[in-house]
Amino acid sequence: NAGVMQNPRHLVRRRGQEARLRCSPVKGHSHVYWYRQLPEEGLKFMVYLQKENIIDESGMPKERFSAEFPKEGPSILRIQQVVRGDSAAYFCASSPLQRGNYNEQFFGPGTRLTVL
Amino acid sequence: EDKVVQSPLSLVVHEGDTVTLNCSYEVTNFRSLLWYKQEKKAPTFLFMLTSSGIEKKSGRLSSILDKKELFSILNITATQTGDSAVYLCAVEAGTDKLIFGTGTRLQVFP
């Protein structure tokens, strides 16, 4: 059983370029969450998606950041025109989440983005 | 604003010691509290707590939740060097997002 998979594991971009981070949830999980971890800080929620729907994007910066979880394929977190402050580890988590039940979120290994 | 506060920020102990990690929270629409262990990679799930006063145990680790006082503790007995990690406390609130504390960095020396 494969867990949450993220790629790439490390990504280096120059200021102004685009970064695309991919997340494949645990097989059978239809709920995906993205978190950002800055150096020496805790994880901060960014966005919660179900297949083809954004449920909660209250943690996403209003500009340059977008996320999708299409019917087929992985979830994508896209950062346009990256700046040095975007350097962080980006973690994806998935859960089966059935309404009324409690479900822990399973985390992927993260993508470490470095902006030069 | 929802927040989760962990203490201490860091802890250095010797093998065999017992440690207690604290997590307090203030959130609306509380659903559950979770503990994760992070060793330079993906946080790995330890416990999920939803009810007050019921201790959860897994080997040398145990945890309990107090929903009246809004805190949880994570205990590790007979610590080993392999327990060295950052321990994250998170609260599930509202639309199922997790609100994390900044973590407690535990270092266990032989």
Side-chain angles (χ1 to χ4, degrees):
Chain A
N1 283 329
V4 177
M5 299 177 69
Q6 289 187 248
N7 69 82
R9 294 291 307 276
H10 299 274
L11 182 62
V12 179
R13 285 286 178 267
R14 295 192 181 278
R15 280 178 297 170
Q17 292 184 318
E18 178 180 287
R20 279 187 181 235
L21 287 63
R22 295 175 187 77
C23 168
S24 296
V26 173
K27 188 176 180 181
H29 287 189
S30 57
H31 301 258
V32 165
Y33 311 79
W34 285 93
Y35 294 85
R36 176 164 65 175
Q37 187 173 38
L38 294 169
E40 305 302 320
E41 292 188 16
L43 282 81
K44 299 278 192 239
F45 168 80
M46 297 182 74
V47 62
Y48 163 35
L49 310 108
Q50 295 178 19
K51 285 284 186 181
E52 300 184 280
N53 286 306
I54 296 174
I55 306 301
D56 182 349
E57 57 182 347
S58 58
M60 286 270 276
K62 296 286 185 245
E63 297 176 351
R64 304 187 296 107
F65 285 72
S66 62
E68 62 177 10
F69 188 18
K71 188 176 180 181
E72 302 291 337
S75 175
I76 307 286
L77 179 68
R78 183 179 174 210
I79 311 172
Q80 295 178 291
Q81 298 176 312
V82 296
V83 300
R84 289 217 175 104
D86 296 333
S87 296
Y90 291 83
F91 288 94
C92 170
S94 74
S95 78
L97 191 61
Q98 298 165 23
R99 279 291 158 203
N101 292 336
Y102 300 101
N103 291 285
E104 66 267 24
Q105 295 179 17
F106 297 87
F107 281 80
T111 293
R112 189 164 299 279
L113 172 66
T114 301
V115 180
L116 301 178
Chain B
E1 183 183 341
D2 294 340
K3 63 179 180 180
V4 176
V5 178
Q6 291 186 248
S7 64
L9 291 181
S10 65
L11 200 51
V12 179
V13 300
H14 289 287
E15 274 191 319
D17 289 350
T18 294
V19 298
T20 298
L21 283 57
N22 304 291
C23 175
S24 63
Y25 61 91
E26 289 180 35
V27 301
T28 53
N29 300 317
F30 173 90
R31 293 191 66 197
S32 63
L33 185 144
L34 300 91
W35 285 96
Y36 287 86
K37 178 182 181 182
Q38 187 177 25
E39 300 170 90
K40 292 187 178 179
K41 51 186 181 187
T44 53
F45 173 79
L46 295 175
F47 297 111
M48 171 182 279
L49 302 154
T50 57
S51 301
S52 278
I54 299 175
E55 185 183 50
K56 294 225 174 169
K57 283 181 73 71
S58 176
R60 297 176 293 102
L61 277 66
S62 64
S63 184
I64 197 162
L65 173 67
D66 186 328
K67 290 170 76 172
K68 183 179 178 184
E69 300 297 330
L70 308 183
F71 78 91
S72 173
I73 59 172
L74 175 68
N75 278 320
I76 309 175
T77 59
T79 52
Q80 302 171 358
T81 55
D83 295 328
S84 296
V86 175
Y87 290 84
L88 299 170
C89 173
V91 173
E92 185 183 8
T95 55
D96 308 305
K97 65 186 178 186
L98 294 180
I99 301 163
F100 281 86
T102 52
T104 293
R105 182 177 298 277
L106 174 65
Q107 291 178 280
V108 182
F109 286 98

